[in-house]
Amino acid sequence: APHQATPQAQQASTRISPPPAQSPQTITFTSTAPGTATVGGAAYSVSASASSGLPVAFTLAASSAGVCTIAGSVVSFTGTGTCTINANQSGNASYQAAPQVQQSFAVGLASQTISFTSSPPGGATVGGATYTVSATSSSGLAVSLTIAPASAGTCSLSGSVVSFTGAGTCTIRGNQVGS
């Protein structure tokens, strides 16, 4: 059977655009690395901002193992060496991941002082009364006591008891080698 001409048909289509391009972003540390970080010393609160305003996450470089630890943004010092903090921002639909930035600084041993907690005798005499010397360190670690070489003929030391063996000045040294 013959057919009549069909009127032209049209179908509307929706143009699909590609997603908008993601913008780049950067990270800047807003905290200053500690200049005198020491093992067991005060913790450091690290901070950084991303140009996108998105939150920055902190991790430690693998080389920092044994030197420092991080919990959130608080860095603690556990050993000597270089502590390297990584700052990352992974991006979102509007922003590309930011290039990682790092902040590195040295961690050293804390200084300590030695204090003699005993008073030397004022009128020591050769062969006279002995003197018990004592000393402490600010670290709480044990102090070793020795007689200075120049005092070898003047006094002797047995444990912490000083005996006076000759005329002169008796110099006792306190030493703490650290941990």
Side-chain angles (χ1 to χ4, degrees), residues 42-104:
Y44 164 52
S45 292
V46 63
S47 60
S49 63
S51 58
S52 64
L54 295 170
V56 176
F58 301 106
T59 59
L60 295 176
S63 61
S64 297
V67 177
C68 54
T69 61
I70 192 164
S73 62
V74 178
V75 181
S76 299
F77 310 115
T78 57
T80 60
T82 300
C83 179
T84 300
I85 302 167
N86 301 323
N88 296 289
Q89 207 313 302
S90 58
N92 64 12
S94 300
Y95 289 94
Q96 299 170 3
Q100 183 182 77
V101 294
Q102 295 182 316
Q103 185 181 69
S104 298

Side-chain angles (χ1 to χ4, degrees), residues 4-160:
Q4 292 184 19
T6 318
Q8 182 179 11
Q10 291 187 16
Q11 180 178 11
S13 66
T14 304
R15 180 174 175 203
I16 299 177
S17 300
Q22 290 176 306
S23 298
Q25 61 173 327
T26 58
I27 298 172
T28 304
F29 279 97
T30 55
S31 59
T32 302
T36 56
T38 57
V39 176
Y44 164 52
S45 292
V46 63
S47 60
S49 63
S51 58
S52 64
L54 295 170
V56 176
F58 301 106
T59 59
L60 295 176
S63 61
S64 297
V67 177
C68 54
T69 61
I70 192 164
S73 62
V74 178
V75 181
S76 299
F77 310 115
T78 57
T80 60
T82 300
C83 179
T84 300
I85 302 167
N86 301 323
N88 296 289
Q89 207 313 302
S90 58
N92 64 12
S94 300
Y95 289 94
Q96 299 170 3
Q100 183 182 77
V101 294
Q102 295 182 316
Q103 185 181 69
S104 298
F105 50 90
V107 179
L109 293 174
S111 61
Q112 61 177 329
T113 58
I114 294 175
S115 300
F116 283 92
T117 55
S118 55
S119 298
T125 58
V126 175
T130 60
Y131 157 59
T132 301
V133 63
S134 60
T136 60
S137 68
S138 59
S139 66
L141 298 170
V143 175
S144 64
L145 301 168
T146 58
I147 299 292
S151 297
T154 305
C155 55
S156 64
L157 183 65
S158 176
S160 62

